[in-house]
Amino acid sequence: MADTINKIDWHDRKHFMWFPFSFTVYEVGNERLYQKTGLFNTKYDEVLLYRIMDLTLQRTFLQKLFGTGTLILKCKVDSSGEIELKNIKNPIEVKNMLSNMIEEVREKRRVVGKEFYGNEFSMHDEDCCDDMDDIR
C-alpha cells in the first residue's frame, strides 16, 4: 500500500540548456502534479491532474537544439490558472504521458464537463421555455 501512496511516475527539473542546474523540481504521481521552487525560500505547489484542462508545448530554437521545451498547463485552480514546466527534457514524450494520465484520472473519477464549466441554468432549456409560455 505504501508503494501506491508515494508512487512517482515522472520526475524532472528545470534545465539550463541541457544541464539540470536549477532549484525547480517537477514530479507527477498519485494523480497529482507537484512543483517545488527555491533554495532558501521554498514554494510547493500541487495540482490534481483531472483539473488540467489544456496542454501546450512551446519550443524555441535553442530548446530544440538542447532537447528541452516548456509545457504550459491551463488548469481549473484558484491561483493563476496556468502552470509552466520550463525547460524540461523530452517535452513531447512528457506532454503525451501527461495527456494520457489526465484522461485516465478523469475516467476513473468520472469527471465531466460541469466540473470545469459550472452547472449554469440555460435559458434555452426546453423546460424553461415551457414555463415561460405559461407566464405570458
Side-chain angles (χ1 to χ4, degrees), residues 94-107:
V94 174
K95 179 184 174 295
N96 292 336
M97 178 203 64
L98 272 175
S99 183
N100 291 333
M101 291 176 79
I102 291 165
E103 288 302 316
E104 287 175 14
V105 171
R106 285 185 185 161
E107 287 178 15

Side-chain angles (χ1 to χ4, degrees), residues 36-51:
K36 180 179 113 177
T37 55
L39 174 62
F40 297 112
N41 297 319
T42 306
K43 179 181 174 185
Y44 298 90
D45 286 319
E46 175 182 328
V47 175
L48 293 166
L49 288 181
Y50 78 87
R51 292 182 147 292

Side-chain angles (χ1 to χ4, degrees), residues 54-58 70-74 82-85:
D54 191 33
L55 296 169
T56 302
L57 172 60
Q58 289 184 344
T70 299
L71 276 177
I72 301 169
L73 314 173
K74 306 271 192 222
E82 189 171 282
I83 297 171
E84 289 187 1
L85 307 181

Side-chain angles (χ1 to χ4, degrees), residues 17-136:
M17 293 187 212
W18 63 82
F19 301 109
F21 298 135
S22 163
F23 297 107
T24 301
V25 176
Y26 310 112
E27 291 182 338
V28 174
N30 305 321
E31 299 178 355
R32 291 167 172 76
L33 169 71
Y34 303 99
Q35 180 179 10
K36 180 179 113 177
T37 55
L39 174 62
F40 297 112
N41 297 319
T42 306
K43 179 181 174 185
Y44 298 90
D45 286 319
E46 175 182 328
V47 175
L48 293 166
L49 288 181
Y50 78 87
R51 292 182 147 292
I52 298 172
M53 297 170 50
D54 191 33
L55 296 169
T56 302
L57 172 60
Q58 289 184 344
R59 297 182 82 189
T60 64
F61 177 71
L62 285 176
Q63 285 177 319
K64 288 180 185 180
L65 282 177
F66 295 116
T68 63
T70 299
L71 276 177
I72 301 169
L73 314 173
K74 306 271 192 222
C75 305
K76 182 71 175 176
V77 294
D78 294 333
S79 59
S80 69
E82 189 171 282
I83 297 171
E84 289 187 1
L85 307 181
K86 296 179 182 178
N87 295 328
I88 58 171
K89 63 183 176 187
N90 303 317
I92 295 171
E93 291 84 3
V94 174
K95 179 184 174 295
N96 292 336
M97 178 203 64
L98 272 175
S99 183
N100 291 333
M101 291 176 79
I102 291 165
E103 288 302 316
E104 287 175 14
V105 171
R106 285 185 185 161
E107 287 178 15
K108 178 180 172 184
R109 291 180 178 239
R110 297 182 183 171
V111 175
V112 294
K114 69 180 181 179
E115 167 69 25
F116 300 114
Y117 305 112
N119 194 9
E120 296 179 6
F121 181 69
S122 173
M123 291 302 288
H124 300 291
D125 190 80
E126 289 178 353
D127 294 335
C128 169
C129 295
D130 291 341
D131 292 340
M132 293 302 283
D133 290 338
D134 293 340
I135 296 173
R136 290 184 210 155

